[in-house]
Amino acid sequence: MLTVHPHLPVKNVKELIALAKSKPDQLIYASTGNGTSPHMLMEMFKWMTGTSMVHVPYKGQAPSVIDQISGQVQLAFNTRSASFPTSRPESSGRWRSRPKSASRPC
């Protein structure tokens, strides 16, 4: 699940891509470590969209989620189980999960 910090001015993936292209190497994304699935997912996302972002590897999902909620990093691919407690942006405001694609909801 792609999650973004609520201070990022994006509502869907298309807007996220546009923002990343307009600010190369200014968005910071978290992963659960070098070579992990979240890291590879973001690398594939960057390659497919032609964007450039800064990678910050963490030793596990808990520290990466904490830093994303606190705003230290702006986005990450997280598991549903890690995202569930904070995935209701209307009520928590901690982060936005499942940004909608330009063509259809996730």
Side-chain angles (χ1 to χ4, degrees):
M1 173 184 297
L2 179 60
T3 57
V4 298
H5 192 270
H7 289 113
L8 274 185
V10 298
K11 299 274 191 238
N12 56 49
V13 176
K14 185 177 180 179
E15 291 177 5
L16 175 61
I17 293 167
L19 179 66
K21 285 184 175 184
S22 71
K23 297 182 174 190
D25 295 320
Q26 292 183 31
L27 294 180
I28 303 169
Y29 74 92
S31 79
T32 55
N34 288 320
T36 60
S37 295
H39 179 213
M40 295 295 102
L41 281 168
M42 191 61 80
E43 289 299 318
M44 186 170 70
F45 178 82
K46 289 171 29 182
W47 176 74
M48 292 176 71
T49 60
T51 56
S52 181
M53 296 178 250
V54 177
H55 174 228
V56 177
Y58 286 83
K59 291 183 178 182
Q61 192 152 30
S64 72
V65 168
I66 290 168
D67 276 4
Q68 189 178 9
I69 290 171
S70 70
Q72 299 299 309
V73 295
Q74 288 83 34
L75 62 156
F77 277 103
N78 289 296
T79 62
R80 179 72 176 137
S81 59
S83 306
F84 184 72
T86 57
S87 65
R88 302 199 64 133
E90 301 83 20
S91 60
S92 70
R94 293 184 183 135
W95 64 12
R96 285 193 297 268
S97 60
R98 299 178 304 147
K100 295 180 176 67
S101 69
S103 60
R104 63 186 173 104
C106 295

